[in-house]
Amino acid sequence: MPLFFRSALLSTVGLSLSAFLLLAQAPTEPQHVFGYRDFSAQAKIDQQFLAVPSAKLAGEELKTLTAAPHIAASKEDYDTAVYVAGKFKAAGLETSIVPYKAWLNLPKEISVTATDDATGKTLMHGPTREHVEGDPYQDDPRVTPGFNGSSPSGDVTAEVVYANYGRPEDFDRLAALHIDVKGKLVIVRYGANFRGVKVYVAQQRGAAGVIIYSDPADDGYYRGDKYPNGPYRPDTGVQRGSVQYMFKYPGDATTPGIASTPELPASKRIDPATAASMPRIPSTPLSYHDAAPILENLGGPSAPREWQGALPFNYHLGGTGVKVHMLLKQDYAMRTIWDVIGKIPGTELPDEWVVAGNHRDAWVYGAVDPNSGTAAMLESVHGIGELLHQGWKPKRTVIFASWDAEEEGLIGSTEWAEDHANQLAHAVAYFNTDVGVSGPSFESAAVPSLKQFVRDVTKEVPSPKGGSVYEQWKAEQAANGSRHHVNNGFNERHGHANVDNDVEIGDLGSGSDYTPFIQHLGVPSTDIGSDGPYGVYHSVFDNYAWFIKNADPTFVYEQQQARVFGLEVLHMADTDVLPYDYVTYGKEIEAYIEAAKKKAADAQLSSIDFSEATAAAQKFTSAAEAAYSRQTAESGNPTHLNSELRQVEGDLLSSAGLPNRPWFKHTIYAPGEYTGYAAVVIPGVNEAIDAKDVSRAQTQMATLTAALTRATSTLESAAK
């Protein structure tokens, strides 16, 4: 972009000097971007947009959004909905606040008391209030104590067993060591899988209840300095969170598959007591300050060495030594939540929606999770609003969404997606952000067809470190490999696959609002974040004070994320040919099938026949190559081609859904039943192999083959 044009923009949109200097570092404009016949006009629009998102305004928005605790369905949560709606309206979006009603709990009483089994001496009584020296937000009386969303009430007194991360293999190890968990309270540490899976497995194994604690090995002092001196979890920090069985289905527990609108009659809802997504045993989170006296006094054999955490004593498996009384009184009710929806009608293809969303509710203040994402989204909307004021209008309809009650089970996004399932059959993309900024390292996950799309967008956006976001992203991965900051809210949601020797982009698991779009409705989706050491996830300390000390003191990464998020929307709204790369998709599916074949062989399940699925995946890739040639050569009206390209993702859905969890319909990606967050690829097949169920594996192989055959036929039609 010529310097004189930057100067003109500086005067017309009121850029600060720092924003101008940052934009001056912008990479050279790309000459060609996949999907555009001539990118030059879009390049000018992009540069106009990139000049607008403001670091200063993002910081002000974040401070406003995090001024009060705003758990879903609270008055303060509604106040943030009104604030976001005002920002949408000011930018020129057609804006509405959309209510839904969901079955939600709040804690009435949470009490955990541990006693010495032999003497009856009290070892701890909690939970202890979260507190560090000097935090300005921790004492707000509106802070909700640490609790688990979707936990039932319970009054349990039992001996305690330590079960490491609460994975199936951890419970299997206990069984092999003759440690019985039936009727016991199980204490497990955060990490390795979704907290709801920990409860699910404990329930299956007969436990009476679960305590989930944060071990300093995973996100506390073992990782680095703890807050307020650093970014990691202090002694009393508690990770709240939902234990809803979202791997069964997300959203309101009483309305799987249908929208939980305020007017929905009770006869259309299922009884929460029978809902498959609701746990049957009680659970609660604890800080490592409160967990330490329990763990230190457990009897029984020493824990396996790899189960040893960072607390300063030898861990034991328990079953003797400590008895805990856990009393949980939950207040359950149908509560109103509020999505905020902002719409810009498309001028040429109004039925083709581009949806971009971020959730707004938080367990407490949610500076990183989710409001760093909300502030970035608001600055994306600010930039697009400036384009609207200058006369730009999108070819396709653009929808920005501020979801509510994500923390309780992806409720706002799921209910809205179920409410608009027919229209979303034509949506061309869903773009998500959640933990928008916890540090300076850009990360992304996406369906394979949109991985190159994300890379192309990041090549246009300047990095605060110099060069482009893409260049910094690639350099960091080359230098450090993949970053996995435990419990950071981004990497725990995504696995990784890389078949094209470019910057690595994750696969979509679950735990954020893309789930209903890709895994239930088949809308191609992406997720972005900017990652860093983040040890205060879901605690009172995830607040504005922590953020400006540790994540992004000058909000330049907020600005970066606003630019990336906004360019995703702009490019998809106005592209000539939908920029889906099904060649990469096909290669990844081939790799998934080959890996499953090896896993089956290792499990001595050689009777499973992979040949038809392998052949179908190879045909899919060949058809994708022919379609890609058509995409890059397209010179006429691309309407038919685009329709076919969009249909391919839908072809990968199975109407029957996954075994025992039919809400999840995607044959390539789903959250794992025993991972919860991390993606399981070709899930029907892989989970059958894990269960050593040859018959089910072969049935799921046939379902996968049929989906690939449908998609291949569509690609072949697109290539004509």
Side-chain angles (χ1 to χ4, degrees):
M1 179 180 186
L3 184 58
F4 72 85
F5 189 38
R6 290 198 184 104
S7 300
L9 281 174
L10 183 64
S11 63
T12 57
V13 299
L15 277 177
S16 68
L17 178 60
S18 60
F20 166 67
L21 292 174
L22 181 60
L23 189 60
Q25 303 172 35
T28 304
E29 293 169 12
Q31 299 301 307
H32 175 74
V33 170
F34 181 45
Y36 284 88
R37 291 191 292 265
D38 179 359
F39 189 68
S40 57
Q42 183 66 47
K44 291 177 181 177
I45 293 169
D46 288 359
Q47 294 304 321
Q48 289 175 293
F49 166 79
L50 289 169
V52 179
S54 162
K56 181 176 182 293
L57 288 177
E60 292 172 0
E61 289 154 353
L62 182 65
K63 191 170 186 179
T64 299
L65 287 160
T66 59
H70 53 284
I71 195 167
S74 66
K75 173 192 176 297
E76 294 78 12
D77 177 40
Y78 181 73
D79 291 343
T80 63
V82 172
Y83 175 76
V84 168
K87 291 285 185 176
F88 282 8
K89 289 176 184 176
L93 279 60
E94 298 175 2
T95 304
S96 57
I97 296 177
V98 182
Y100 293 99
K101 298 204 79 168
W103 184 246
L104 299 176
N105 63 307
L106 289 170
K108 291 171 66 176
E109 184 178 351
I110 306 289
S111 174
V112 178
T113 304
T115 56
D116 183 280
D117 219 358
T119 67
K121 176 186 174 183
T122 298
L123 300 172
M124 64 79 65
H125 176 71
T128 302
R129 183 173 61 88
E130 293 174 287
H131 185 81
V132 298
E133 191 65 35
D135 182 88
Y137 292 92
Q138 61 195 359
D139 295 324
D140 190 308
R142 295 169 293 184
V143 171
T144 307
F147 77 106
N148 283 150
S150 292
S151 169
S153 299
D155 188 347
V156 177
T157 301
E159 293 177 326
V160 180
V161 171
Y162 172 55
N164 195 29
Y165 289 114
R167 301 167 298 186
E169 57 264 39
D170 295 328
F171 283 94
D172 290 344
R173 186 79 174 270
L174 287 171
L177 293 168
H178 306 292
I179 303 294
D180 189 4
V181 303
K182 289 182 180 177
K184 305 291 199 308
L185 270 171
V186 173
I187 186 167
V188 298
R189 55 176 168 157
Y190 273 113
N193 59 4
F194 168 56
R195 71 186 75 79
V197 170
K198 301 173 192 293
V199 176
Y200 180 60
V201 182
Q203 176 183 305
Q204 290 179 325
R205 304 300 174 101
V210 180
I211 293 169
I212 314 174
Y213 81 101
S214 301
D215 197 287
D218 297 310
D219 65 1
Y221 56 73
Y222 184 81
R223 296 278 174 173
D225 289 333
K226 59 190 180 183
Y227 182 69
N229 298 315
Y232 288 101
R233 191 175 300 272
D235 300 24
T236 57
V238 177
Q239 185 190 138
R240 298 151 177 80
S242 174
V243 291
Q244 184 189 44
Y245 295 165
M246 287 184 275
F247 44 86
K248 294 291 189 181
Y249 59 88
D252 172 46
T254 71
T255 59
I258 61 173
S260 186
T261 58
E263 62 274 11
L264 187 73
S267 61
K268 297 287 187 179
R269 297 179 181 271
I270 63 174
D271 184 346
T274 63
S277 68
M278 294 294 287
R280 303 291 181 254
I281 61 173
S283 66
T284 201
L286 284 183
S287 65
Y288 59 82
H289 173 277
D290 285 346
I294 299 173
L295 292 163
E296 186 172 13
N297 289 279
L298 287 180
S302 292
R305 286 302 84 195
E306 62 272 23
W307 291 24
Q308 176 71 35
L311 291 168
F313 47 78
N314 185 50
Y315 288 30
H316 287 256
L317 295 178
T320 63
V322 179
K323 190 166 286 183
V324 165
H325 177 213
M326 182 173 77
L327 175 64
L328 309 180
K329 294 182 180 179
Q330 309 284 5
D331 175 18
Y332 270 96
M334 295 302 303
R335 292 186 162 95
T336 300
I337 63 168
W338 305 276
D339 290 343
V340 183
I341 306 298
K343 183 177 181 181
I344 308 170
T347 56
E348 298 178 25
L349 300 163
D351 293 336
E352 294 187 8
W353 289 3
V354 177
V355 186
N358 159 260
H359 80 93
R360 186 188 68 257
D361 66 293
W363 287 110
V364 192
Y365 297 99
V368 172
D369 179 13
N371 290 301
S372 63
T374 306
M377 180 174 72
L378 290 179
E379 282 307 293
S380 297
V381 170
H382 175 202
I384 288 176
E386 286 295 330
L387 295 180
L388 288 171
H389 295 153
Q390 294 168 25
W392 171 86
K393 292 182 180 179
K395 183 187 301 184
R396 296 177 177 85
T397 294
V398 169
I399 293 173
F400 280 98
S402 175
W403 309 120
D404 202 357
E406 185 269 1
E407 296 292 7
E408 280 75 4
L410 317 182
I411 294 174
S413 57
T414 297
E415 300 313 314
W416 188 87
E418 291 173 341
D419 209 5
H420 296 84
N422 291 337
Q423 298 98 317
L424 289 168
H426 307 289
V428 295
Y430 173 71
F431 299 130
N432 191 66
T433 191
D434 184 340
V435 178
V437 179
S438 60
S441 300
F442 184 81
E443 294 280 5
S444 181
V447 290
S449 58
L450 289 178
K451 289 184 177 181
Q452 190 58 42
F453 172 82
V454 175
R455 295 184 188 112
D456 286 344
V457 164
T458 61
K459 290 173 182 176
E460 277 195 76
V461 178
S463 167
K465 303 172 195 173
S468 69
V469 172
Y470 173 81
E471 288 165 340
Q472 291 294 340
W473 185 17
K474 190 170 187 177
E476 276 197 55
Q477 285 198 1
N480 304 321
S482 296
R483 292 165 301 280
H484 295 282
H485 300 295
V486 174
N487 290 334
N488 72 354
F490 186 88
N491 278 315
E492 66 179 359
R493 297 198 304 269
H494 307 119
H496 292 80
N498 194 17
V499 299
D500 46 12
N501 299 313
D502 204 331
V503 70
E504 189 175 342
I505 296 180
D507 296 325
L508 294 168
S510 189
S512 197
D513 292 303
Y514 51 78
T515 291
F517 292 92
I518 180 60
Q519 292 157 353
H520 185 62
L521 298 175
V523 180
S525 300
T526 73
D527 191 24
I528 61 168
S530 189
D531 186 26
Y534 172 41
V536 296
Y537 180 59
H538 286 188
S539 76
V540 74
F541 306 115
D542 184 0
N543 58 41
Y544 186 80
W546 183 95
F547 190 90
I548 60 175
K549 284 183 177 181
N550 297 291
D552 189 13
T554 58
F555 308 104
V556 290
Y557 291 98
E558 288 284 345
Q559 182 182 49
Q560 169 192 287
Q561 293 305 102
R563 288 167 165 168
V564 174
F565 200 54
L567 280 194
E568 284 190 290
V569 171
L570 289 174
H571 283 200
M572 192 60 74
D574 281 345
T575 187
D576 299 312
V577 176
L578 291 172
Y580 302 148
D581 172 14
Y582 286 118
V583 178
T584 294
Y585 215 142
K587 290 178 179 177
E588 291 202 11
I589 294 170
E590 289 183 53
Y592 300 154
I593 293 171
E594 192 59 33
K597 185 177 181 180
K598 182 179 184 304
K599 182 165 77 168
D602 291 344
Q604 298 182 328
L605 302 175
S606 56
S607 61
I608 300 173
D609 183 2
F610 287 81
S611 60
E612 290 188 4
T614 298
Q618 290 169 346
K619 289 178 181 177
F620 177 98
T621 303
S622 295
E625 289 169 345
Y628 191 89
S629 296
R630 172 91 188 280
Q631 287 170 276
T632 55
E634 178 64 35
S635 57
N637 186 336
T639 301
H640 172 74
L641 172 60
N642 283 338
S643 176
E644 301 277 15
L645 292 170
R646 174 57 185 88
Q647 184 181 324
V648 173
E649 193 76 58
D651 289 336
L652 295 174
L653 301 180
S654 162
S655 59
L658 292 176
N660 303 314
R661 43 192 191 131
W663 188 92
F664 288 96
K665 298 189 179 301
H666 208 283
T667 60
I668 311 300
Y669 298 107
E673 185 174 5
Y674 292 103
T675 63
Y677 278 142
V680 170
V681 298
I682 53 171
V685 174
N686 271 312
E687 291 188 336
I689 293 171
D690 290 337
K692 298 187 184 301
D693 188 334
V694 173
S695 175
R696 191 203 331 165
Q698 206 63 66
T699 299
Q700 290 301 303
M701 199 78 71
T703 298
L704 172 63
T705 300
L708 291 171
T709 300
R710 286 193 300 273
T712 298
S713 177
T714 303
L715 284 168
E716 288 171 345
S717 176
K720 293 177 182 176

